[in-house]
Amino acid sequence: MKPDKGKTTMRLKNTIIAIFLALLVTSAPLHSEEGIASLNLMPVPKSVMLGSGKFRLTPSFAVAAKKDVGKRLYAAASRTLRRLSDRTGLFFLQDFVTSRSNPDSASMLIDCRRKGNVVLGEDESYSLTITPGKVELSSETDLGALRGFETLLQLLSIDDEGYYLPAVTINDEPRFLWRGLMIDVSRHFMSVEVIKRNLDGMAALKMNVFHWHLSDDQGVRVESKKFPKLQELCSDGFYYTQAQIKEVLAYAEDRGIRVIPEFDLPGHSTAWFAAFPGLASAPGPYTIERHWGIFDPTFNPTIEATYRFLDRFLGEMAFLFPDEYLHIGGDENNGKQWSANKQIQAFMKKHRIADNHALQAYFNNRLLKILTKHGKKMIGWDEILHPQMPTTIVIQSWRGPKGLFEAARRGYKAILSNGYYIDLIQSAEFHYLNDPLPADSVLTEEAKKNILGGEATSWAELVTPETIDSRIWPRTAAIAERFWSPGNVRDVDDMYRRLDVISFRLEELGLTHAKNYDMMLRRLTNNADIIALKTFIDVIEPVKIYKRHSQGVTYTQFSPLTRAVDAARPESKTARLFGKLVDRFVKKKDGASLGEIKAHLTVWKENDAKLRDIIHRSPILWEMATMSKDLADISAIALEAAAMIETGKKAEQAWVDDKLAILEKAKLPGGQAELMVVSAIQQLVSAAGGK
Ligand code: ACM
């Protein structure tokens, strides 16, 4: 039948109107639309559609679940209720969310089909629909609901009438199954409290793997009932009892986070030999290592005593830790003890083991048998990749993304940590743009499936319980977004905008990254006024990568980590924003930017005069005196440059050269920190010279 022309036009018109209306009501993904851009969601969900209207939070806000899938869901719902109450000051009538909470009268309904298993690959998807009259959270598992609660908390907004949740429909699921944070508790021990608050931070960012680096040269941190000498002689008394470990495991399980213990073998193992020297590859005695680096002591892979010990110890740990994976380390074995040991050399000859890497593969295969016997799968750092290792092991790539792709190509499951070393004090932007599976990846579709995700790594040579949160957060939130959100979510400015909000929200979980700053500054000034010191430390950062170890300072496990460099943030927000201002001004020559730039420069120029006396009276700050003066001097230069640009007077080349030389010197580290506004000022000076 031929359609009648009039009807077709009519139908077409209706379709166009319908599409137009649909666009008006729903709009597109978060990162591109204005209305949605005001949301502060991190990680960005897979799909966000704004609705119209607002759900008002009132004391009668009440939460219930349609189906009882277990206490984890109720506990998380109750925590959500408390956090909403604490933020808003609203006295909710509901105390706890329980199986007795009535779904018919609830303003927020959770529709969750089953209890999830905290294992690799579990469904964590959820959808959240908010209308003016109702909040509905639905998911396959309670783990999905937990992720949804965090999104809901991030949606809380404020207007003239009070607190509300914007009408929205969110459908969300993670891009990667493995979204981890490794915390090293060997170099500096971290209490259960530190671990718990970081687990809360992880949960807030939808991360799901806590990799617990429990042993290294500087300490073995678990209680062993089979080998009590381990905690007695290898930990300085800083270890977790098995009861404490169970407490952490339960806490993580309650937040949908897997816990993977790492025992770093066969290298990075000096501490073990303080109790068991006979297992090392050279005669003892041994003491716990106090310095940082790569050391020689290594398990002897050629004696049966090693495997008898590891069988019993790992058996005990396999029973304690429920996750199907156990991390055996495997990194940075320098092989020196192996090469120098005649008995080991003879063993290699007899068994036709070609080199130390092959000997480590032999060791790893023996370990694999032990782990398999105890029901565990093996994961290790990328050094464990060897043709003799089966593809059932998981490779954690840290030396470069190449190792990740190589492993994936060869059929191994792999995770990426290279580029996520937060102890290297790099920017959130750097980590954010690092992708386990970049858009231009040349891997086959099959190989891509082997890439499970990644982990941020918090190595602990230069952190204490007081500073560790500030080295993890907020930058790890940007990494968490990389692991969860669609790969095309890469707007750096928007990431920073949201990171600020998330950073402040993380404090409600007890994280100390922000609040310890003032406390550390007070200690530095001996409780004098901290305003001038803060102005200064706000624009410095610790030196990057491993430079702190190569500037004439030898750090040990007992070195103070309380200096200006430790108080300084890994990434200076003030310096980053100042850099952007200068960038904009140099391009647009706009008065608004110039005004802001001059305001900053004037404060910095006058700051040294205020700080000098405080530094003088605080010997711990003496190492910063030169840099504080530098900040004043270069700010004066920048003000001159700004005035020339403003008045259109071109600077003489000799002036430009002279000032650029001064600026180059101001880039030199002081007290192991760097002044982060120098490049922007160089840009101003060059612009004054007409460049
Ligand atoms: C490592 O950073 N040595 C794994």
Side-chain angles (χ1 to χ4, degrees), residues 177-193:
L177 298 174
W178 193 305
R179 307 179 304 280
L181 169 64
M182 188 215 75
I183 299 182
D184 167 11
V185 296
S186 177
R187 272 60 177 264
H188 281 97
F189 183 66
M190 300 294 156
S191 68
V192 167
E193 185 200 347

Side-chain angles (χ1 to χ4, degrees), residues 264 268 331-332 381 383 398 421 459 546:
D264 205 344
H268 278 294
D331 58 318
E332 298 183 312
W381 300 106
E383 286 95 330
W398 71 279
Y421 266 45
W459 296 105
Y546 291 123

Side-chain angles (χ1 to χ4, degrees), residues 524-656:
L524 287 169
T525 62
N526 202 23
N527 208 25
D529 186 65
I530 61 168
I531 294 176
L533 183 61
K534 196 176 208 168
T535 299
F536 170 63
I537 296 194
D538 270 352
V539 294
I540 67 172
E541 291 176 11
V543 292
K544 309 292 157 188
I545 320 293
Y546 291 123
K547 278 194 251 168
R548 272 185 83 170
H549 301 289
S550 60
Q551 297 182 335
V553 184
T554 302
Y555 286 97
T556 72
Q557 205 167 23
F558 307 114
S559 303
L561 294 170
T562 52
R563 293 150 62 218
V565 58
D566 300 296
R569 314 285 85 187
E571 187 171 17
S572 158
K573 179 182 166 190
T574 310
R576 183 173 57 79
L577 295 179
F578 181 73
K580 288 186 83 70
L581 265 179
V582 169
D583 229 27
R584 190 169 71 201
F585 173 66
V586 167
K587 284 192 190 103
K588 296 191 177 158
K589 304 281 185 314
D590 62 316
S593 302
L594 182 65
E596 279 188 66
I597 289 168
K598 288 205 299 202
H600 275 298
L601 292 170
T602 306
V603 170
W604 295 334
K605 184 182 153 194
E606 291 164 5
N607 197 62
D608 184 54
K610 296 173 184 160
L611 189 53
R612 207 175 301 151
D613 196 41
I614 290 168
I615 291 180
H616 179 70
R617 284 184 276 118
S618 300
I620 192 172
L621 284 172
W622 288 351
E623 61 181 349
M624 306 316 289
T626 305
M627 196 173 274
S628 169
K629 169 102 178 17
D630 282 351
L631 177 64
D633 292 348
I634 68 172
S635 297
I637 293 171
L639 280 166
E640 274 186 72
M644 287 190 241
I645 299 169
E646 193 177 13
T647 55
K649 174 175 171 266
K650 189 169 170 241
E652 309 235 338
Q653 195 53 44
W655 183 89
V656 172

